[in-house]
Amino acid sequence: MREPVELRRQRILAVVESRGAVKVSALADELAVSVVTVRRDVEELARAGRLRRGHGVARPVRDPAGPPAVPAPRGVDPAGEGGAVALVVPERHSYLYETLHGARTVLEEAGIRIALYLAPQSADAERPLVERALADGARGLLIAPRWRNVLSEELDYGWLADTGVPTVLMERRPRPGSTLHALDSVCSDHWYGTHLAVEHLVSLGHRRIVLAARDDSPTARTVRAAFAQIAAAHPGVDDWTVVLSSPDAVPGPGPSGASPVPGTPSGSRADAPDLDLAELLRGRGATAAVLHGDVDALMLVQRLAESGVQVPRDCSVVAYDDVVAALGSTPLTAVAPPRAEIGRAAAELLLHRLSGEPGALGPVRRTQVLPELKVRGSAQAITPATPATN
């Protein structure tokens, strides 16, 4: 028999008044009803003035009786009513939006207010947003800078190391020895992800592999460097090469038009012509390709088909990112970085720093989470040629 609504709401009030702030999700588990039902009950009770409602949290109208509260450290409000946590990510970046949503889930369940800032594609876009967030009273920062090139990354080192509030980098790994080396960070292990792609192709008998990758983000640069290292050392790889996956895959120029990375194109589209992947595969005798990122991968697979090269019959493909790789006419096997988990882990680390608990100000943490390989059939084993007969 279904519990009467008013009785259920009385139980909610009793729990909240006895314990103080309680997560809506915890109430739902305790009452054995859905989160949606409890959220609706909390909204009605708050409207009637019988409790207070926060982000994912129900609170009593008056603090429950109990021992005197221990003052929280400066900038920390255990009830979630202090300054917000600022989330700063690039605009129009589907990969990092999943990371954002992972962080948001953790923060909302903890009753922490969130202030979202979307950084435009212009240079040095994150700094004014962070300064604005701090001026508005942000007590913590989760940030994934765009860092299209090495110079833009290094220009952020000074101010980002001195925000004055607990800060966690998401899906970014600063250069070793830099001023941000000792900043909390949570990142995918892209070396391992690249290793998964190469090992999968080698296990299918492919010995000549091409990487067509971007070069306009920290992930892209890590994947390129990892592939070169892994392929060069792998006894199962006879030939490999790295090329740009598309004309807009290079980072923009630095100040005064200077190229930020020695030996790389200046960043204008004219410096990176359209890739003829079919011709490259034929020229090198390659039978497999790793393609970063997903959109470039789907477009390159389409171009291969237009050139008479079928995937996986003529060329096996592994994409890197797995945002839309499964949606192509040929669903692509893909390396899937744990995007949402990166956000969740970063938010949990930040909450730990803000908690004031013993060890909350302990050693810096640099967490790496391993990607997975999602096999969908765009890579297949090489079939040995049938010997000719007389």
Side-chain angles (χ1 to χ4, degrees):
M1 180 176 177
R2 180 176 296 177
E3 181 181 43
V5 173
E6 187 55 35
L7 177 57
R8 185 177 66 242
R9 291 178 180 173
Q10 289 294 340
R11 292 176 62 196
I12 291 173
L13 285 172
V15 172
V16 172
E17 289 172 357
S18 63
R19 301 182 194 169
V22 182
K23 295 179 182 178
V24 168
S25 57
L27 286 170
D29 289 342
E30 188 163 335
L31 274 61
V33 296
S34 70
V35 172
V36 172
T37 296
V38 174
R39 187 179 295 120
R40 188 183 303 119
D41 289 341
V42 169
E43 289 175 353
E44 289 299 323
L45 291 168
R47 189 175 295 114
R50 302 169 72 182
L51 54 68
R52 294 182 296 151
R53 182 169 62 93
H55 289 284
V57 175
R59 303 184 182 87
V61 175
R62 298 180 181 84
D63 292 332
V70 177
R74 181 182 178 185
V76 177
D77 180 359
E81 295 184 348
V85 162
L87 275 165
V88 182
V89 297
E91 65 174 351
R92 295 195 293 274
H93 201 304
S94 57
Y95 179 102
L96 287 172
Y97 282 178
E98 291 191 48
T99 302
L100 160 67
H101 289 306
R104 173 186 173 186
T105 299
V106 170
L107 294 172
E108 287 186 343
E109 287 181 353
I112 302 294
R113 293 193 298 117
I114 300 167
L116 175 61
Y117 297 84
L118 299 178
Q121 298 191 32
S122 58
D124 197 28
E126 288 85 5
R127 183 172 186 173
L129 296 180
V130 171
E131 290 174 347
R132 185 191 312 166
L134 296 176
D136 290 340
R139 53 176 168 160
L141 174 64
L142 292 173
I143 184 169
R146 191 179 298 274
W147 285 353
R148 289 202 55 168
N149 55 50
V150 175
L151 181 58
S152 67
E153 175 181 337
E154 292 178 348
L155 289 175
D156 283 347
Y157 283 174
W159 68 265
L160 194 49
D162 193 29
T163 62
V165 298
T167 298
V168 180
L169 286 169
M170 300 185 299
E171 202 61 296
R172 298 292 182 256
R173 183 72 72 206
R175 175 174 51 79
S178 69
T179 55
L180 291 188
H181 190 110
L183 189 69
D184 286 327
S185 62
V186 181
C187 184
S188 299
D189 187 340
H190 294 301
W191 186 97
Y192 182 76
T194 307
H195 162 79
L196 289 177
V198 173
E199 285 296 327
H200 182 62
L201 292 172
V202 170
S203 73
L204 296 173
H206 299 280
R207 303 182 70 85
R208 306 177 76 86
I209 306 172
V210 169
L211 171 70
R214 305 188 68 83
D215 191 31
D216 58 356
S217 73
T219 297
R221 292 187 286 277
T222 301
V223 168
R224 289 162 63 90
F227 179 85
Q229 179 190 36
I230 293 167
H234 202 298
V237 176
D238 292 339
D239 183 79
W240 60 273
T241 189
V242 177
V243 293
L244 286 171
S245 55
S246 75
D248 61 349
V250 289
S256 304
S259 178
V261 187
T264 61
S266 67
S268 66
R269 297 177 64 91
D271 291 326
D274 282 313
L275 171 65
D276 188 341
L277 183 57
E279 181 61 28
L280 177 65
L281 293 170
R282 295 188 188 103
R284 301 193 73 95
T287 59
V290 180
L291 307 178
H292 172 269
D294 279 10
V295 174
D296 291 343
L298 293 174
M299 293 181 66
L300 287 171
V301 169
Q302 291 175 16
R303 291 179 192 167
L304 286 175
E306 293 166 0
S307 299
V309 179
Q310 295 298 318
V311 173
R313 185 194 67 191
D314 305 314
C315 176
S316 289
V317 166
V318 175
Y320 200 105
D321 272 357
D322 200 36
V323 177
V324 294
L327 304 181
S329 56
T330 300
L332 302 181
T333 292
V335 175
R339 298 176 295 276
E341 183 57 36
I342 293 296
R344 284 191 287 267
E348 289 169 356
L349 176 53
L350 184 64
L351 289 178
H352 175 66
R353 297 299 189 203
L354 293 169
S355 68
E357 297 174 355
L361 301 180
V364 170
R365 300 185 182 183
R366 293 167 59 86
T367 303
Q368 289 198 115
V369 188
L370 300 187
E372 298 177 315
L373 184 71
K374 302 294 182 68
V375 177
R376 300 192 180 97
S378 63
Q380 67 180 24
I382 291 181
T383 303
T386 302
T389 58
N390 293 326

